[in-house]
Amino acid sequence: MGHSRQRHSGEASGKVVVLDRFRSGRSLSPLRQAEAYWLALGGEGQVPRRDQIDPRALENILAHSFILERVTRRGARFRLAGDHLTDLSGMDLRGAPFTALFADDARAEAGAILQRVFTAPAVAELRLQTPKVPGAPVLEGRMLLLPLASEDGGIARALGVLVSDGGGAIPPPVRFDIGNRLLRPVAAGAAQDSEAQLATPAVERASSAADGFAEPLPDWLGPPHHLRLVK
């Protein structure tokens, strides 16, 4: 595939994720930008805190970005979601479960992957595609999930990026199957999952206009490319 690289997940399934671009040649740079920023904040083998995330550093990929809040061992809801996700889903995703982006048959696997992101903790990259329907186009997608630590060291948030190819080819709501995946555990010494925090995810300090970011979102995050906050 030309310039594409493949990496193995290291799991028993032996699934492989193609990371660099779609088959059409479209770049996956939003995923690479988000991961580079996340790595720069956390340092080697560390998970950055959610309040370190500054939306200005991700300004050019905000439409593809989202923040998840963990609510069960294998469940999370969207706290913030960019316009690209809204366009795919056909609805405001604030408060919606993470699995709302996935086809029924893929939701259990999506939940298992999400659990690994929070508990290992691990970085997850998913290669997605819409279910094959006779006479209908197949839409490809790539997703990156990056764990975020809270002030007490627990992990109940994740920064995500979703990029899809051939937007508009399928009317919303678009639901994805998981073609393959890559899970990369964060090195030892990183923040670990907090069951206490998971048990009471809603008991936190009063949220600002952009809870999970370093400071309130500025006015320039208004339409057309903005993130939506769960109240």
Side-chain angles (χ1 to χ4, degrees), residues 102-128:
F102 295 90
D104 290 346
D105 291 344
R107 291 183 175 181
E109 184 177 3
I113 291 169
L114 194 64
Q115 183 179 11
R116 289 282 301 279
V117 169
F118 287 121
T119 59
V123 173
E125 295 196 40
L126 312 180
R127 182 174 181 177
L128 310 173

Side-chain angles (χ1 to χ4, degrees), residues 75-128:
R77 65 171 182 158
F78 286 97
R79 186 161 184 87
L80 299 165
D83 286 348
H84 181 62
L85 284 80
T86 301
D87 293 341
L88 289 173
S89 63
M91 66 177 185
D92 186 345
L93 283 173
R94 292 178 298 176
F98 173 63
T99 51
L101 290 175
F102 295 90
D104 290 346
D105 291 344
R107 291 183 175 181
E109 184 177 3
I113 291 169
L114 194 64
Q115 183 179 11
R116 289 282 301 279
V117 169
F118 287 121
T119 59
V123 173
E125 295 196 40
L126 312 180
R127 182 174 181 177
L128 310 173

Side-chain angles (χ1 to χ4, degrees), residues 21-71:
R21 59 187 66 248
F22 291 100
R23 285 194 293 264
S24 65
R26 180 176 176 180
S27 173
L28 299 181
S29 62
L31 277 68
R32 304 282 71 81
Q33 291 179 51
E35 185 173 15
Y37 178 62
W38 180 87
L39 287 169
L41 290 177
E44 185 66 27
Q46 298 295 322
V47 174
R49 298 189 316 276
R50 68 176 187 261
D51 59 7
Q52 289 180 276
I53 304 296
D54 186 342
R56 291 171 297 188
L58 301 173
E59 178 179 2
N60 63 329
I61 62 170
L62 284 176
H64 299 275
S65 302
F66 58 93
I67 295 287
L68 295 175
E69 176 186 26
R70 193 181 188 193
V71 293

